[in-house]
Amino acid sequence: MENKAPKPLTPGWYRDFASYLQEIFGCRVHKISLDAGFSCPNRDGTLSQKGCIYCNEQGSGTGAWARGIPIAGQIENARGFLERRYKAKKFLAYFQSFSNTYAPVARLEQIFEEALLQEKICGLCIGTRPDCVPDEVLGLLDALNKKTFLMMEYGLQSACDKTLALINRGHDSRAFEETAGKTKALGIRVCAHVILGLPQESRQDMQHTADFLASLEVDAVKIHMLYVVKGTGMEELFKGGRYKPICRDEFIEAVCDFLERLPQKTVIERLTGDPHPQELVAPSWALGGKAQLLADIRGRMVERATWQSRLFGQKS
Ligand code: SF4
């Protein structure tokens, strides 16, 4: 069921995540973001202490673990709200903060199993770095995948190694390719996180990242715009005049370019980011209405008479 092309290909079409989950579970499913108190080798000194150039000390985290809220409590706190607001019937436990495979396997197993025991949890999404998935962790993921829905979310950000070095990712595109390949070989879904608008990236560089992911046949893609957050290396670059954020129209074009290069079966988990207003330095348009931005992306695809997969397989 998951690899079927669900709709006729018409201008503006892309394979959205909500519909994909509806196909699998037969109801509205929502993710619950969780913080399990993990760290990251790019922050704890193993690879670096600076972190990726766009990441602040919260590591995209909610901070719930540091406030003493266990996984069960975090799920319970979010579930009622999401049921009321989005009419969600089931939930995916999304381990989002920092690198969620960066711990001893026994601790990982205990945390993931705790999440799966909670009411209405129907699977796991686990965000991590592609260089943080050793074979013993893959063994655990294999076992989890045999009994529940599992999506591994690996940060790639760009397939251009010069960009990865510039943003201090601490791994290259080859690391992503290897880990994605091993994960897919076990039948586990792989989602790639990508950022559009990275420093010194051209439109062709972003298209290259799309072609790279298309060639690897990742199951899903999550696209963010780069936003400059307080207390990051990006803030220094921006304030020093060494980085000009992507403008809204350029971002929309880049998203259209990206989607038309991906295969029809790739699920699009996200097309925008959600910066915290108090943390955002630039671009200010990133705060200006997610629904309108999504409508404008779809509208531009229609104007360009394009859809996801229209250029799949054609070299840029
Ligand atoms: S890998 Fe993730 S948590 Fe670690 S520094 Fe980079 S963005 Fe932050």
Side-chain angles (χ1 to χ4, degrees), residues 39-43 50-56 58-60 96-99 128-129 131 157 167-169 171:
S39 180
C40 169
N42 211 19
R43 284 217 161 265
K50 289 185 183 166
C52 304
I53 196 170
Y54 50 82
C55 176
N56 66 9
Q58 281 74 50
S60 304
Q96 178 180 23
S97 307
F98 294 100
S99 300
T128 193
R129 296 169 55 88
D131 58 354
Q157 319 313 351
I167 65 176
N168 196 41
R169 274 296 294 178
H171 66 76

Side-chain angles (χ1 to χ4, degrees), residues 280-300:
L280 185 73
V281 176
S284 54
W285 64 263
L287 293 175
K290 193 167 149 184
Q292 188 58 52
L293 182 58
L294 291 174
D296 290 347
I297 290 169
R298 219 182 266 270
R300 184 63 189 132

Side-chain angles (χ1 to χ4, degrees), residues 196-201 206 225-229 234 237-239 241-251 280-286:
L196 301 183
L198 287 164
Q200 298 182 20
E201 284 234 313
M206 293 183 263
M225 77 281 282
L226 180 68
Y227 39 82
V228 180
V229 170
M234 280 308 307
L237 278 189
F238 175 71
K239 292 197 166 162
R242 287 171 289 144
Y243 173 70
K244 182 170 169 285
I246 193 168
C247 73
R248 192 173 186 276
D249 287 348
E250 288 169 337
F251 176 73
L280 185 73
V281 176
S284 54
W285 64 263

